[in-house]
Amino acid sequence: PISAASVIDAFRIVVTNRLSLCYTVATTLLFGSLFGFINSAQQIYDGIYGLGVWFPVLFACVASMMAVSSYANARLVGRFGMRRLSHGALIGYLTVNVIIFALALAGPIPLWLFVGLFTIGMLQFGWIGSNFNTIAMEPLGHVAGTASAVQGFVQTIGGGVIGAAIGQAFDGTVVPFTAGLCILASG
């Protein structure tokens, strides 16, 4: 039955489940890196690399790799398991972002290298977010509707705020962007 008491009880169950809470926080941080990319993409692709009208094409190419990895996710989960795939992909995502960050600290990164490495990172992103979200929902089947609403709210608002902060940190280089991705991936 829908009542204030049942909704409050379901909300309490969601926020006190340690496994669910930890994976929700991890997914929020990952959404922060995605929203950071969305907030920074034009500044980076157009402001640093001067792509102009080619910006949407390159943006779509990177996004398409996320779509490909999301599509392949079902087969890979069946083969490797959800936790193994997502945790391995997170390690790969962090590694790629650390490499990009180190290169950015050394000086300007050529466009082809930045996009190539970043695309590899976003390919792995597609194996992390959906699996982390599913793992966060596993122990909450009996309050799935409330759990989904709470987790979606936290992930979207938290990720949006984090992503906005990354976008606002732009200084004419990719250093703040890549530093943000490293911090979020290691969180």
Side-chain angles (χ1 to χ4, degrees):
I2 296 179
S3 68
S6 68
V7 171
I8 291 169
D9 188 47
F11 183 83
R12 182 191 53 75
I13 290 168
V14 170
V15 298
T16 58
N17 184 289
R18 194 164 134 177
L19 176 74
S20 177
L21 185 62
C22 289
Y23 276 97
T24 298
V25 169
T27 306
T28 301
L29 296 176
L30 287 167
F31 273 29
S33 67
L34 177 63
F35 291 146
F37 169 59
I38 293 168
N39 278 303
S40 302
Q42 179 136 11
Q43 297 168 327
I44 292 170
Y45 288 151
D46 197 29
I48 295 173
Y49 294 110
L51 290 180
V53 298
W54 290 102
F55 158 69
V57 173
L58 201 52
F59 186 91
C61 288
V62 172
S64 68
M65 290 312 295
M66 285 178 56
V68 167
S69 70
S70 293
Y71 181 75
N73 187 54
R75 290 180 189 250
L76 294 171
V77 163
R79 184 176 214 186
F80 299 109
M82 200 178 319
R83 281 183 175 78
R84 192 166 156 203
L85 175 63
S86 59
H87 290 203
L90 180 60
I91 291 167
Y93 182 71
L94 174 61
T95 301
V96 168
N97 285 309
V98 166
I99 291 168
I100 299 171
F101 178 60
L103 290 170
L105 288 175
I109 305 171
L111 176 64
W112 67 269
L113 183 57
F114 175 78
V115 171
L117 289 170
F118 187 67
T119 300
I120 292 168
M122 294 313 282
L123 178 75
Q124 295 173 83
F125 183 94
W127 298 325
I128 305 167
S130 59
N131 291 322
F132 273 20
N133 207 30
T134 302
I135 295 168
M137 287 292 294
E138 277 181 336
L140 303 172
H142 59 292
V143 290
T146 302
S148 179
V150 170
Q151 291 170 354
F153 176 80
V154 168
Q155 292 163 1
T156 303
I157 298 300
V161 168
I162 293 167
I166 290 173
Q168 290 299 310
F170 181 73
D171 67 355
T173 70
V174 297
V175 171
F177 171 67
T178 57
L181 296 188
C182 289
I183 291 166
L184 295 172
S186 63

